[in-house]
Amino acid sequence: MVINKKMKRLLCLALVCLMLTPIISFATTDSTDANTENTGDTTVDNNTDVTTDDTTAGNTVTTTTEGTWIDTGKSNASEAATVPEEDVLAEKEFLNLPYYERQAISKEQAIVATSKEDIEGHSYVCSGGGYELYLYEEKMSIIIRDEETGAILRSTLTPTQAVARNYTQTMYDTVTSGVLVQPITYNKDASTSRFGNYATGILTPLKEGYVSTEELKEDGKVVGFTAHINFTEYGFEFDIIVKLTEEGALSWEIPEDTIKETNENYLMADLYVFPLLGYTDRGDRDGYMILPDGNGITIDYDDYFQDGEPKYKTAYLKRVYGSDVGLSGISQTTTLGDTLESSRDFTTSSEEITIPYFGVVHSDTQIAMVGIIEEGEYGGYIHGMINGINRSFENYVSTRFEYRTLYQEFMDNVGSSERWKTSEGRMIGNIKVTYLLTSGEDATYSGLANKLRSHLLNTGIINANEDQEFDVRLDFLGVDKENFMVFRRNVVATTAEDIRDILGQLSELGVTNVLAVYEGWQDDGVYNVPIYEFDADSDVGGNKAIEELISDLEEGGTVSLYLMQDMLTINTSMTSSVYTSINGYTGKTYERYEMYNEVFTTFRYLYPHKSEEYIKDITNDFLDSGIKNAAFSGISDNMFVYIYDKKEYTRQDTMEHYANAIKDSKDNGMSIILESPYMYLWKYTDAYLDFTIGSSMYVYASHEIPFLSSVLKGSLKMYSEYINFEANSTEYFLKLVETGVLPSFLITKESPEVLQYTNSNWNYSSEYDKYEDTIAEYYSKLKEVNDKVQGEYIVNHEKLDSDVSITTYSNGVKVYVNFSDVDVTVDGMTIEAESYSVR
């Protein structure tokens, strides 16, 4: 949708400005999350994280030539008395060793030679796929062991390690328990307070008597265990089913029907299961974490606690499938025209999570895992923790699930009166997380990408796409509106006949295979949303011109034209939204106000069932007109809770309406392509538009990696964001070569100057005459590369110190890309500066 693309362009300009300013921390909290209100006996803390305490207050911090060590002193943890003092002293001595001595010892401790014997108090459970599973029941702590090498992945610290770090009780509980829950407390006597009856409770670990387990068997063989969890003080009960498969995958799931809440004073809020699985300390190990920022980033296991201060102030915490406007309050507008929507994401400016994965790679012991949320992802977060934050030692990445959250219910239209509230029911159903394990030479991000691709194909999340022929995506902008006296008039940028002429000229230049997308074809232009019928604007030629164009292109067989429509947004200046726009849990109708737009400033969102209804209507209208190609935006990358007819609906309800609508269109014979689709829609789309080939460029990233593109290449066709607006076109072109992502251009017949008084005035470069040669050049060069790897998977990727990347495909073809400004010799051949070679 053009509205979203405008925001992307503006944010890119802002990011360029920010790059000129020193970045101190990875992220900031938003206005809701940063608030902690103290009201007598009630504390409202909507920004609680796993690690919230200053863990070394009062400790002596000494900087030496070997780095930073901490004189941990006396532990605050209540279990300190149960840990032998000599063990604690020994652990403290280890913590204060130079880093190179710690590295050698840590690697040695990460390999266990004996098989099927107790490991650090964990008992053997079962084997599968070359791995063993061990359990310490009391703490629900697990260890995974590679049967061949003995390399292990731990999920908790030992009590000795936690005590030696002098962690507070909260921190101690966090790092020594495999399951943590955070309640929302209900105080009926607090109803007179403007903050309401609800408050966030403390994060609570498992304690003695909270858990019992039994073997999980399949065909008479033990494949895992079922844990019965009972947080007795809160009245929370649920089962966790843990399974190790013969394919080398460990999964855990919580069926919704096992959850019970029996204490009226407490409600389930956040849940962590095995949050530290695969953790490391400081820079004591060789390896890295993988986070789903854009195409993927890695964070090396370095010591980020230097000179007595942590390098980073906040953790990576990002909501899966984007922030939730149904939980936000009164909308605010920035100078960029974007809306500040309160969510619980710490990293509010990092790329949205379109697929909920994360990974750890232990290079020194050659064991790695990639986690993927398979059920309940709409209520999940990815949480990456780096040593130094809150003065902690550990690096880990995990999931967090939000059964309920506190939000502000506004009592008037301007937000001056509010109270804290929570949802009536839980916002998540079933939860399932799977960890795919790999070892040896495959213990790399490429090895994990291969594992994840196979898993997504086997589970039907993606389908093997037979159409892998190279083409270029051209988006054509038709009509927008500008103010004229007391009316609005059409501004025509590209007609249907213009598209015919442009495609004909490109064909003469050898550009024959094109995915064409037409935006702003509808009556009254691109911002006349929503639409639910085929009604083309007369200024672009009307229905007849578009029907004839599509029919002629189909006869040619090399160009597919898709009509794009936003199926989420309501332009309140052109369409009534009284009965169709969502009300959030907050009691407010969600509204986005873009004060710097030239013509239209106020937009709302459709109820998901209305989006589904309109998609069915326009699908039928298209089919009646002989049109079988549709492109949808808005619904593909938004998700929210809402209230309809006084009933609460969750993000899962939203997801189901959108999925049903797209599936129904597909089942009726439509070809559907989606803009920036979330993972649950991948099985229904024939193409992924606006694929992000880079990352947000935050300071956390040690390296950008083409992780997601490696997963999807050869299965789902990916098209880049518009090349028109990339500041460094040479580097962007090389990234397309490296990743196999297909190029995209925004094209208009007229100069974008005609759009200067429309909402599309963000478009400053799209005139076809200026891009004709560029399109032909990109097409020729990228097609030559693609023809050698068409239909193949990416099986390996590496980035050399010389700034040369090598992408290896399943047929053995290697693509060398030199991003540096000097010639480089690799594998016996010289690759020119800022160039590439295929062999």
Side-chain angles (χ1 to χ4, degrees):
M1 173 186 161
V2 177
I3 295 174
N4 291 336
K5 289 172 184 172
K6 173 188 176 182
M7 292 160 63
K8 291 180 182 178
R9 301 286 83 77
L10 291 170
L11 289 172
C12 287
L13 292 174
L15 183 58
V16 170
C17 297
L18 289 173
M19 291 173 62
L20 302 177
T21 305
I23 301 175
I24 298 176
S25 66
F26 179 79
T28 59
T29 58
D30 57 47
S31 57
T32 299
D33 290 325
N35 281 338
T36 300
E37 304 280 0
N38 294 310
T39 58
D41 296 332
T42 303
T43 299
V44 179
D45 179 3
N46 204 31
N47 190 32
T48 305
D49 191 13
V50 164
T51 49
T52 56
D53 299 287
D54 185 341
T55 62
T56 56
N59 294 337
T60 300
V61 180
T62 303
T63 302
T64 70
T65 56
E66 307 296 348
T68 302
W69 56 270
I70 302 172
D71 182 7
T72 51
K74 183 179 179 181
S75 173
N76 294 322
S78 63
E79 292 191 45
T82 66
V83 180
E85 184 176 356
E86 59 271 21
D87 293 347
V88 174
L89 292 174
E91 179 66 22
K92 288 181 177 181
E93 290 179 3
F94 167 76
L95 294 175
N96 293 328
L97 289 174
Y99 75 92
Y100 55 84
E101 293 187 27
R102 295 198 311 270
Q103 283 183 328
I105 296 173
S106 294
K107 179 181 178 180
E108 181 181 349
Q109 292 176 342
I111 298 176
V112 177
T114 57
S115 177
K116 300 181 181 179
E117 296 182 6
D118 285 3
I119 302 175
E120 298 170 359
H122 296 66
S123 300
Y124 171 78
V125 176
C126 63
S127 301
Y131 298 92
E132 298 168 350
L133 174 63
Y134 294 79
L135 169 67
Y136 176 31
E137 180 182 278
E138 182 179 333
K139 294 289 188 179
M140 264 293 283
S141 173
I142 62 172
I143 288 177
I144 301 170
R145 179 181 178 274
D146 185 320
E147 287 184 314
E148 183 175 346
T149 67
I152 63 173
L153 299 173
R154 300 178 176 90
S155 67
T156 58
L157 276 68
T158 66
T160 299
Q161 291 172 317
V163 170
R165 284 158 169 74
N166 195 35
Y167 284 164
T168 61
Q169 187 64 54
T170 299
M171 276 292 295
Y172 177 94
D173 292 339
T174 298
V175 299
T176 59
S177 177
V179 177
L180 300 126
V181 67
Q182 185 172 33
I184 287 175
T185 63
Y186 175 73
N187 182 357
K188 63 181 179 181
D189 296 327
S191 58
T192 56
S193 168
R194 74 179 183 90
F195 294 103
N197 304 83
Y198 299 97
T200 302
I202 63 171
L203 195 66
T204 304
L206 289 173
K207 299 178 182 178
E208 186 175 355
Y210 276 21
V211 59
S212 62
T213 63
E214 60 186 60
E215 291 181 340
L216 178 66
K217 293 184 177 181
E218 291 183 358
D219 298 326
K221 179 184 176 182
V222 177
V223 296
F225 61 90
T226 298
H228 306 290
I229 309 296
N230 187 347
F231 284 85
T232 55
E233 61 189 285
Y234 300 138
F236 301 158
E237 297 181 45
F238 51 88
D239 288 351
I240 303 178
I241 302 171
V242 181
K243 181 180 177 181
L244 181 63
T245 71
E246 288 300 329
E247 289 72 38
L250 177 79
S251 67
W252 65 264
E253 57 184 306
I254 299 177
E256 181 183 17
D257 58 12
T258 68
I259 301 175
K260 298 178 182 178
E261 297 171 283
T262 60
N263 188 332
E264 64 178 9
N265 296 318
Y266 299 100
L267 299 170
M268 282 185 65
D270 291 341
L271 176 74
Y272 287 86
V273 176
F274 308 137
L276 269 69
L277 184 60
Y279 81 91
T280 63
D281 286 340
R282 288 184 285 181
D284 294 359
R285 301 287 301 280
D286 290 333
Y288 48 86
M289 296 187 297
I290 303 172
L291 294 176
D293 185 4
N295 203 358
I297 62 171
T298 63
I299 304 175
D300 290 342
Y301 292 146
D302 290 335
D303 190 344
Y304 296 107
F305 190 38
Q306 299 291 335
D307 300 325
E309 291 295 330
K311 183 175 181 179
Y312 304 114
K313 304 298 183 183
T314 57
Y316 174 94
L317 184 64
K318 194 74 177 175
R319 186 193 289 272
V320 175
Y321 296 164
S323 59
D324 195 321
V325 300
L327 295 172
S328 64
I330 302 297
S331 62
Q332 306 171 54
T333 306
T334 69
T335 55
L336 295 176
D338 194 11
T339 303
L340 291 175
E341 298 163 350
S342 61
S343 70
R344 298 185 65 189
D345 300 356
F346 286 11
T347 45
T348 53
S349 299
S350 58
E351 296 287 347
E352 279 195 3
I353 297 177
T354 59
I355 170 174
Y357 76 88
F358 56 94
V360 298
V361 174
H362 296 179
S363 303
D364 50 5
T365 57
Q366 291 192 304
I367 187 171
M369 72 175 190
V370 58
I372 175 78
I373 308 178
E374 297 191 87
E375 293 186 60
E377 74 275 20
Y378 51 86
Y381 291 76
I382 303 299
H383 179 195
M385 189 68 180
I386 298 176
N387 72 85
I389 297 172
N390 293 332
R391 299 182 180 270
S392 63
F393 286 75
E394 295 77 38
N395 312 290
Y396 58 87
V397 58
S398 68
T399 59
R400 179 171 97 180
F401 290 94
E402 186 177 78
Y403 282 98
R404 288 185 183 83
T405 186
L406 293 181
Y407 55 85
Q408 288 176 301
E409 181 185 43
F410 290 91
M411 311 304 292
D412 55 41
N413 290 327
V414 296
S416 60
S417 176
E418 73 285 330
R419 62 180 180 182
W420 290 103
K421 193 179 178 183
T422 191
S423 59
E424 294 178 4
R426 293 185 295 270
M427 298 190 296
I428 312 179
N430 297 331
I431 292 174
K432 183 177 181 181
V433 177
T434 296
Y435 308 91
L436 308 172
L437 304 165
T438 188
S439 300
E441 295 181 355
D442 291 330
T444 64
Y445 63 79
S446 289
L448 293 177
N450 294 333
K451 277 278 189 179
L452 184 53
R453 180 198 314 115
S454 297
H455 183 74
L456 296 181
L457 286 168
N458 291 337
T459 55
I461 294 175
I462 57 175
N463 302 310
N465 191 341
E466 296 180 0
D467 176 21
Q468 291 296 324
E469 191 169 351
F470 178 86
D471 53 14
V472 59
R473 168 190 166 204
L474 302 179
D475 278 19
F476 296 96
L477 178 59
V479 174
D480 202 346
K481 290 281 190 180
E482 68 179 5
N483 291 320
F484 180 70
M485 300 181 68
V486 295
F487 305 102
R488 303 187 189 100
R489 66 180 178 183
N490 279 0
V491 175
V492 184
T494 316
T495 67
E497 191 61 28
D498 291 334
I499 294 176
R500 185 190 299 273
D501 292 342
I502 289 171
L503 293 174
Q505 294 174 50
L506 287 173
S507 181
E508 293 177 1
L509 295 175
V511 181
T512 55
N513 296 344
V514 177
L515 176 79
V517 180
Y518 199 9
E519 302 186 56
W521 56 268
Q522 66 265 37
D523 187 37
D524 285 330
V526 65
Y527 286 95
N528 182 18
V529 288
I531 54 176
Y532 40 82
E533 60 182 353
F534 177 47
D535 183 16
D537 197 285
S538 59
D539 282 347
V540 304
N543 287 10
K544 183 178 179 180
I546 291 180
E547 289 171 356
E548 290 177 351
L549 174 61
I550 291 175
S551 178
D552 292 345
L553 293 176
E554 285 181 351
E555 289 182 10
T558 61
V559 178
S560 298
L561 177 63
Y562 287 77
L563 300 183
M564 170 67 82
Q565 44 273 324
D566 176 358
M567 302 308 298
L568 171 71
T569 308
I570 307 170
N571 182 347
T572 60
S573 299
M574 303 184 74
T575 304
S576 172
S577 62
V578 175
Y579 300 107
T580 57
S581 56
I582 67 163
N583 288 305
Y585 281 6
T586 60
K588 293 293 296 180
T589 298
Y590 171 71
E591 189 170 274
R592 184 175 69 240
Y593 178 68
E594 300 184 11
M595 63 183 296
Y596 297 105
N597 280 357
E598 289 286 341
V599 182
F600 306 113
T601 59
T602 306
F603 301 91
R604 292 179 176 178
Y605 284 174
L606 285 168
Y607 282 115
H609 67 271
K610 296 301 293 185
S611 291
E612 182 178 3
E613 175 187 328
Y614 291 167
I615 288 173
K616 290 181 178 180
D617 289 343
I618 200 169
T619 293
N620 292 332
D621 225 22
F622 279 163
L623 292 172
D624 290 342
S625 302
I627 298 172
K628 295 183 179 180
N629 297 334
F632 295 135
S633 65
I635 63 167
S636 54
D637 59 350
N638 280 278
M639 193 169 292
F640 43 80
V641 300
Y642 61 97
I643 292 178
Y644 177 72
D645 197 19
K646 299 182 180 180
K647 180 181 177 182
E648 292 181 348
Y649 290 85
T650 68
R651 286 161 67 96
Q652 183 180 15
D653 296 312
T654 300
M655 181 175 77
E656 290 175 353
H657 279 296
Y658 293 163
N660 290 338
I662 303 299
K663 181 180 183 300
D664 185 70
S665 290
K666 293 280 288 184
D667 290 344
N668 280 290
M670 294 290 291
S671 173
I672 304 296
I673 59 178
L674 299 174
E675 185 178 276
S676 304
Y678 293 151
M679 180 186 71
Y680 77 97
L681 292 173
W682 290 354
K683 67 178 75 174
Y684 305 120
T685 183
D686 294 320
Y688 186 136
L689 307 184
D690 287 0
F691 183 89
T692 302
I693 63 175
S695 73
S696 63
M697 298 182 294
Y698 274 0
V699 293
Y700 264 3
S702 301
H703 304 281
E704 286 186 343
I705 56 173
F707 187 85
L708 186 53
S709 58
S710 296
V711 171
L712 296 181
K713 179 64 175 176
S715 297
L716 180 60
K717 294 185 78 169
M718 301 166 285
Y719 294 86
S720 72
E721 297 173 301
Y722 296 145
I723 293 168
N724 313 47
F725 307 104
E726 294 301 328
N728 188 334
S729 58
T730 299
E731 181 183 21
Y732 199 80
F733 173 82
L734 294 176
K735 283 184 175 290
L736 294 176
V737 175
E738 176 190 33
T739 61
V741 175
L742 304 176
S744 300
F745 294 87
L746 175 62
I747 296 299
T748 54
K749 174 63 176 178
E750 304 298 330
S751 166
E753 291 180 1
V754 303
L755 300 168
Q756 62 180 318
Y757 299 116
T758 72
N759 276 29
S760 298
N761 60 6
W762 54 267
N763 175 12
Y764 57 85
S765 181
S766 63
E767 187 176 0
Y768 169 70
D769 289 344
K770 295 182 178 180
Y771 279 95
E772 181 180 71
D773 293 339
T774 303
I775 293 170
E777 181 184 11
Y778 271 61
Y779 182 90
S780 174
K781 291 181 177 180
L782 292 173
K783 186 177 187 302
E784 182 180 8
V785 175
N786 188 82
D787 286 349
K788 297 178 181 179
V789 298
Q790 183 173 313
E792 302 292 333
Y793 297 129
I794 293 175
V795 295
N796 192 50
H797 178 273
E798 54 184 322
K799 192 71 171 285
L800 307 180
D801 292 339
S802 57
D803 210 13
V804 172
S805 72
I806 306 174
T807 305
T808 304
Y809 285 83
S810 50
N811 62 353
V813 171
K814 292 188 176 183
V815 179
Y816 297 77
V817 180
N818 182 5
F819 288 94
S820 72
D821 57 2
V822 296
D823 296 353
V824 178
T825 299
V826 180
D827 291 346
M829 66 176 175
T830 299
I831 308 170
E832 295 181 358
E834 296 184 326
S835 184
Y836 63 95
S837 180
V838 183
R839 59 186 292 183

